[in-house]
Amino acid sequence: GRVLGHLSGGRRARFPALRELYSGALGRFLENPALRPEVQWMTEAGMTLRHRRGEIQVVGFHQAMDDPITRIPVATPGGNRFQRVNQGRVSATGLELVADATTGALALGGSGTLQRARGRDALNAATELEYEPTVYGGLWAEAPSPWRTRLGLDLRGTGRQRYIDIDSGVFSSLSRTMQLGLRLSRAFEFGATGPWQRLDVTIAVENLADRPIFDQAGLPQPGRTLRLQARLW
């Protein structure tokens, strides 16, 4: 009926790629052919509550990875360079929330993750981790607009992250990010016969505020972007 529970677990192993073993990445990395495979253990338990106007899902998870491949700064005569090495263990425990609902012609939804990630070296001492935000997620809304169109709004955010500054060889911080998007869509019906019966057209503006947003340090996403999409089916 309206309540669904689930429980799952798994184990996954990943061998290092040739790029990780032997690539110098244009002089930015030192090779390390001695890398060992990563082994990850995953468990999660969750519950979904359904209603005629929508549903909400709550999931708790725990992940632990032995010998994860991470990067460290290494001082060389030509300056600092990265090297991929096996760390002792990385674990993450957290909670995910996903929800959507409709009220009249208005549709709402969102998702978010709250986690605590921890790293340990081979001697079981605590270590810092790169690109493991404590919180991230987004919200969206969609409503009717003139001329049989639908107007949508998307908001996505990521909490503060840590990364290794290769110039100094120490950890620095990436600021919290927030990205706003706007979209306008319209469906055209061609009738019940023929190979093509419907055309969906969407015009969207992503990163509406034109804010600097980084996937990783030195790797920015595009600024304000206009996207046009058409789907014929």
Side-chain angles (χ1 to χ4, degrees), residues 14-233:
R14 186 185 75 87
F15 286 82
L18 293 177
R19 172 184 60 84
E20 295 173 301
L21 292 169
Y22 302 113
S23 173
L26 300 178
R28 295 182 65 245
F29 277 81
L30 295 176
E31 300 176 3
N32 185 4
L35 287 176
R36 302 183 300 277
E38 302 174 324
V39 179
Q40 184 178 28
W41 298 88
M42 302 160 286
T43 58
E44 72 171 43
M47 180 173 292
T48 303
L49 306 177
R50 295 171 173 163
H51 188 270
R52 61 185 177 86
R53 291 187 176 180
E55 67 177 36
I56 181 171
Q57 184 180 78
V58 182
V59 179
F61 64 88
H62 178 73
Q63 302 175 358
M65 181 181 291
D66 293 320
D67 292 328
I69 297 174
T70 60
R71 62 182 190 175
I72 61 172
V74 178
T76 71
N80 290 340
R81 296 168 69 182
F82 288 121
Q83 186 176 45
R84 298 181 180 93
V85 299
N86 290 102
Q87 199 172 28
R89 167 169 279 217
V90 169
S91 62
T93 303
L95 191 70
E96 293 179 323
L97 177 66
V98 181
D100 63 77
T102 56
T103 172
L106 179 64
L108 302 167
S111 63
T113 300
L114 180 66
Q115 69 168 0
R116 182 186 179 193
R118 289 156 291 185
R120 296 282 177 177
D121 62 17
L123 301 177
N124 203 35
T127 60
E128 285 198 87
L129 299 175
E130 284 194 295
Y131 305 114
E132 290 288 353
T134 301
V135 60
Y136 56 91
L139 299 170
W140 61 268
E142 189 175 271
S145 52
W147 303 294
R148 298 170 59 189
T149 61
R150 291 190 66 84
L151 182 65
L153 189 69
D154 298 281
L155 181 65
R156 291 179 290 161
T158 302
R160 187 173 64 93
Q161 302 181 73
R162 301 282 286 168
Y163 73 96
I164 297 175
D165 184 334
I166 189 60
D167 293 325
S168 63
V170 298
F171 274 84
S172 296
S173 294
L174 276 179
S175 301
R176 302 177 183 88
T177 62
M178 195 69 68
Q179 183 173 169
L180 181 66
L182 195 65
R183 66 180 185 278
L184 188 69
S185 59
R186 168 79 188 270
F188 299 88
E189 301 284 350
F190 299 144
T193 60
W196 313 115
Q197 300 178 20
R198 177 168 171 166
L199 173 66
D200 294 334
V201 178
T202 300
I203 300 175
V205 181
E206 300 168 350
N207 194 3
L208 188 62
D210 201 26
R211 302 186 63 178
I213 297 173
F214 293 85
D215 287 323
Q216 293 184 16
L219 295 176
Q221 294 184 15
R224 186 183 298 114
T225 304
L226 178 65
R227 175 171 58 88
L228 174 63
Q229 176 179 314
R231 178 173 177 247
L232 184 62
W233 56 292

